[in-house]
């Protein structure tokens, strides 16, 4: 009986290990990327028939983050991020072919909130919601346009429904995120995007 009681205590202590407490803080670094995509369309106007191909390369986003637990299972976060997106547009007519390349460098500050729910020992489900404020530097260059740059303001809201954390040791967590839903306003034009082929990985250090 005593051995059974000790075994139960050991299991319970294992489940309670590595939990967050109110007032805990962390810093983390995250890398995010998404699958590229391509699209080909044909259209006609008074000048003729055209074929346009748009290819988007996988984007890359690097983030540094600080978090503070206001309760044992709710953290307020703030992050600064840099990202790069690339897109190539090729238009083909009967007489000519032109290509325009677009590069977007974006910088953002993002306050956020995450909820932590323990799935099992050292494994957490941590969905979150993120506000983003920043600017995008867009550079266009191609065969028939001079190189030019714009830097519009961007605002967005993102939801992270499939975010997880593994805590192999008490002071460190491994962050895994898959997919996101973005509502973004760029150049006064709102857009909604469901990014299923998006993934992120990072390390989180507690103190």
């Amino acid at each position: 009986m005593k051995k059974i009681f000790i075994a139960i205590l050991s299991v319970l202590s294992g489940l309670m290990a590595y939990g967050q407490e109110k007032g805990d803080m962390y810093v983390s670094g995250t890398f995010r990327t998404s699958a590229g995509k391509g699209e080909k369309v044909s259209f006609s106007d008074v000048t003729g028939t055209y074929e346009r191909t748009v290819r988007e390369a996988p984007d890359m986003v690097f983030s540094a983050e600080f978090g503070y637990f206001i309760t044992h299972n709710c953290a307020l976060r703030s992050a600064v991020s840099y990202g790069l997106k690339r897109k190539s547009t090729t238009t083909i007519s009967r007489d000519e072919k032109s290509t325009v390349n677009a590069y977007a460098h974006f910088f953002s500050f993002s306050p956020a909130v995450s909820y932590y729910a323990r799935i099992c020992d050292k494994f957490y489900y941590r969905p979150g919601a993120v506000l983003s404020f920043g600017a995008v530097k867009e550079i266009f260059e191609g065969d028939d346009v001079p190189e030019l740059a714009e830097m519009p303001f961007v605002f967005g809201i993102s939801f992270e429904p499939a975010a997880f954390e593994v805590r192999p040791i008490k002071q460190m967590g491994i962050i895994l995120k898959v997919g996101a839903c973005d509502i973004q306003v760029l150049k006064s034009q709102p857009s909604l995007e469901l990014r299923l082929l998006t993934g992120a990985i990072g390390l989180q250090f507690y103190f």
Side-chain angles (χ1 to χ4, degrees):
M1 187 69 179
K2 182 178 179 181
K3 291 182 179 180
I4 295 175
F5 181 71
I6 294 175
I8 293 174
L9 285 180
S10 299
V11 172
L12 291 176
S13 62
L15 291 175
M16 295 301 292
Y18 308 143
Q20 300 76 222
E21 299 293 338
K22 179 180 178 180
D24 284 356
M25 294 178 283
Y26 69 82
V27 292
S28 67
T30 306
F31 170 72
R32 189 189 79 200
T33 187
S34 62
K37 58 184 179 180
E39 181 183 18
K40 181 182 288 187
V41 296
S42 298
F43 60 96
S44 301
D45 59 19
V46 294
T47 63
T49 301
Y50 299 87
E51 183 180 88
R52 177 168 292 164
T53 302
V54 179
R55 293 187 177 89
E56 293 188 17
D59 63 351
M60 298 179 292
V61 182
F62 301 90
S63 300
E65 182 175 290
F66 170 79
Y68 177 82
F69 283 85
I70 56 175
T71 69
H72 74 280
N73 58 5
C74 184
L76 297 181
R77 304 149 43 195
S78 61
V80 290
S81 304
Y82 162 76
L84 173 65
K85 292 184 178 181
R86 295 171 291 167
K87 182 171 69 173
S88 175
T89 303
T90 301
T91 304
I92 302 175
S93 67
R94 186 175 60 181
D95 302 321
E96 62 180 356
K97 173 182 177 180
S98 63
T99 300
V100 176
N101 297 310
Y103 304 90
H105 302 266
F106 56 93
F107 309 86
S108 65
F109 169 73
S110 305
V113 61
S114 287
Y115 178 81
Y116 278 69
R118 186 193 298 273
I119 297 176
C120 61
D121 186 21
K122 306 176 188 177
F123 187 56
Y124 294 84
Y125 173 54
R126 44 164 289 179
V130 185
L131 290 175
S132 295
F133 307 88
V136 180
K137 184 176 182 181
E138 295 180 306
I139 302 174
F140 302 90
E141 57 184 27
D143 301 329
D144 55 355
V145 296
E147 183 173 328
L148 57 95
E150 299 178 336
M151 198 157 185
F153 177 78
V154 61
F155 166 75
I157 303 173
S158 297
F159 299 97
E160 302 169 336
F164 304 90
E165 182 178 337
V166 181
R167 296 281 295 276
I169 61 174
K170 183 176 181 180
Q171 293 79 17
M172 187 185 76
I174 300 172
I175 306 165
L176 302 170
K177 299 179 184 179
V178 180
C181 179
D182 295 339
I183 301 172
Q184 191 176 86
V185 179
L186 177 62
K187 297 181 180 178
S188 301
Q189 297 178 352
S191 64
L192 173 63
E193 182 179 7
L194 184 61
R195 296 185 287 111
L196 297 178
L197 299 179
T198 295
I201 187 168
L203 290 177
Q204 193 154 290
F205 299 95
Y206 291 85
F207 59 94

